[in-house]
Amino acid sequence: MNRRTQVGIVGAGPAGLMLSHLLHLAGVESVVLEARSRKYVEERVRAGLLEQGTVNLLNETGVGERMKRLGLVHHGIELRFGGRGHRIDLSGLTGGSTVTIYAQHEVIKDLIAARLAAGGEIVFEAGDVSIHDFDGPTPKIRYRMDRSVVELSCDFIAGCDGFRGICRPTIPAGALTTYDRIYPFAWLGILAEARPSSDELIYAYHERGFALHSMRSPEITRLYLQCAPDEDPGKWPDEKIWDELQLRLAAGAGWKLNRGVVLQKGITEMRSFVVEPMQSGTLFLAGDAAHIVPPTGAKGLNLAVADVRVLARALTDYYANGNRELLTKYSEICLRRVWKVQRFSWWMTSMLHRFGNENENAFDQRRQLAELDYVTSSRAAAQTLAENYVGLPME
Ligand code: RFL
Ligand code: PHB
């Protein structure tokens, strides 16, 4: 079967769905092809922290209603080290900006509902998706639906299929330059039926390793522990996880972490990765397909949304005015933000984690503590953290 659309989008994550939504609002037609089922993508536990700009965009484009009701607005975060907590006043340091805790899969549900209500098309469980002819003006996406092969012709392809998708690897070798850093640790994350033990997020530097206290709702806590990159979650029974979190997050004698039933457990690898350029002919990469950051700065989802804002604007200008200039500059515009966010995520990661014996010595630990001390005692340093954490302005 052959069919046609203006923009073919591979992947129904935050990048693909937001792009489809923004294009629809600008009168541009798209079809989203997703390898997984709707249920799977609506339940996949991932990010939880939205920058001010992401929140504004969801509100301004009519998909912020549930987020306004269920999201938790945070005005600050806490850095814990040396057994003490130090608050970074995000709002006070940024002229009133905040971050919002609202789970990524809730954003996904809201975007899917909005696309379907507007008559948009998302093909779930699309099999064997492949992309073709993007070196010319009529690229094609092939996929399998039930027993038949479908060919979708389009003007442009948006590769929004995440880090392990097919779009980036289909670009001929040699056309892309890869920048990559793998860290010698990972995060063991849990989602637990436990009241958060603090109103704000806690990032803890501890001699046993990093820990993070986050949340999803007044009843659900999200917690992470630094662990080995090849850690077997099977070796971490729930009690051991709670004991370790208590040790690393403790500040002062009386502080007690609320415990509860562990609902989900998983390992997250820590990596910094960028490809340049983020486009090849009529194929444009966005979100994790083009770059990933270690989660310490809470930036991946927000960066994916920032990319597709730029892409939607460029495509809209092309369809409305026949102007290709923004499309030509897509990669250049995105990469300026991408590298600043890479720098911030690397810096937060380097400041807060133990790097292990081979790469680390007593000097590094003293340096990390001095960095934490500086960030929490100098207004200028705290402001640098805060303006990056709430999200740099869009170009
Ligand atoms: P996604 O979300 O991976 O979506 C890609 C979609 O493409 C589909 N797909 C395919 N579809 C068709 N054909 C194929 N061949 C396909 N291959 C893949 C996939 O099924 C999927 O639906 O990429 P996108 O849209 O670029 O979004 C990126 C974000 O998901 C990611 O950056 C964040 O989750 C990262 N992240 C965080 N980001 C934040 O901004 N704030 C946070 O607090 C935050 N915390 C986190 C995180 C990521 C984590 N993990 C699990 C990696 C915490 C964790 C633990
Ligand atoms: C989360 O809530 O999942 C979360 C929050 C902040 C981070 C990373 C993850 O830096």
Side-chain angles (χ1 to χ4, degrees), residues 10-12 15-16 33-34 129 131 158-169 285-286 288-289:
V10 186
L33 303 172
E34 166 60 48
V129 176
I131 57 174
C160 301
D161 52 347
F163 188 59
R164 303 195 187 283
I166 51 104
C167 290
R168 189 185 66 249
L285 302 176
D288 279 15

Side-chain angles (χ1 to χ4, degrees), residues 39-50:
K39 180 171 162 40
Y40 184 92
V41 299
E42 289 190 339
E43 289 177 0
R44 184 164 45 192
V45 176
R46 281 224 175 149
L49 191 125
L50 307 182

Side-chain angles (χ1 to χ4, degrees), residues 64-284:
E65 192 271 322
R66 281 175 73 243
M67 175 185 65
K68 263 191 258 173
R69 224 162 7 96
L70 303 172
L72 306 172
V73 176
H74 285 199
H75 296 268
I77 56 167
E78 190 180 323
L79 297 180
R80 272 192 191 172
F81 56 96
R84 273 191 56 206
H86 307 256
R87 184 165 189 267
I88 303 282
D89 177 8
L90 297 173
S91 295
L93 290 161
T94 59
S97 290
T98 57
V99 291
T100 297
I101 290 284
Y102 186 61
Q104 177 167 328
H105 65 269
E106 301 295 345
V107 176
I108 296 289
K109 280 185 208 163
D110 297 341
L111 287 169
I112 290 176
R115 285 309 296 123
L116 298 181
E121 187 178 355
I122 307 169
V123 179
F124 291 102
E125 298 177 73
D128 301 332
V129 176
S130 60
I131 57 174
H132 308 269
D133 303 337
F134 50 85
D135 54 351
T138 45
K140 292 165 196 76
I141 309 180
R142 280 194 207 114
Y143 61 98
R144 208 173 21 76
M145 193 33 50
D146 303 320
R147 291 232 168 77
S148 49
V149 173
V150 183
E151 185 171 282
L152 176 68
S153 303
C154 32
D155 303 325
F156 302 99
I157 298 177
C160 301
D161 52 347
F163 188 59
R164 303 195 187 283
I166 51 104
C167 290
R168 189 185 66 249
T170 309
I171 298 174
L176 299 180
T177 306
T178 298
Y179 302 87
D180 200 1
R181 168 160 301 185
I182 296 174
Y183 298 85
F185 42 76
W187 284 7
L188 173 63
I190 60 166
L191 191 69
E193 219 168 70
R195 261 187 316 111
S197 310
S198 156
D199 290 339
E200 295 182 337
L201 267 62
I202 305 169
Y203 289 81
Y205 174 85
H206 192 275
E207 58 187 27
R208 299 175 67 90
F210 170 76
L212 171 60
H213 169 282
S214 181
M215 63 200 72
R216 287 294 177 267
S217 72
E219 296 83 36
I220 303 285
T221 319
R222 178 86 167 133
L223 298 139
Y224 301 95
L225 277 176
Q226 177 183 351
C227 62
D230 54 355
E231 195 78 50
D232 171 7
K235 297 222 170 88
W236 283 87
D238 297 354
E239 275 317 296
K240 186 173 161 187
I241 297 178
W242 289 116
D243 290 346
E244 191 63 30
L245 284 165
Q246 169 69 41
L247 277 174
R248 296 189 194 182
L249 287 166
W255 195 82
K256 204 154 179 294
L257 180 65
N258 296 330
R259 301 185 179 202
V261 175
V262 175
L263 304 169
Q264 199 257 3
K265 201 185 286 186
I267 303 278
T268 302
E269 71 165 338
M270 304 284 281
R271 189 164 182 172
S272 304
F273 178 97
V274 183
V275 290
E276 291 188 0
M278 290 167 55
Q279 62 196 89
S280 175
T282 41
L283 167 66
F284 295 83

Side-chain angles (χ1 to χ4, degrees), residues 54-70:
T54 305
V55 168
N56 294 348
L57 183 68
L58 293 169
N59 283 328
E60 285 158 13
T61 62
V63 283
E65 192 271 322
R66 281 175 73 243
M67 175 185 65
K68 263 191 258 173
R69 224 162 7 96
L70 303 172

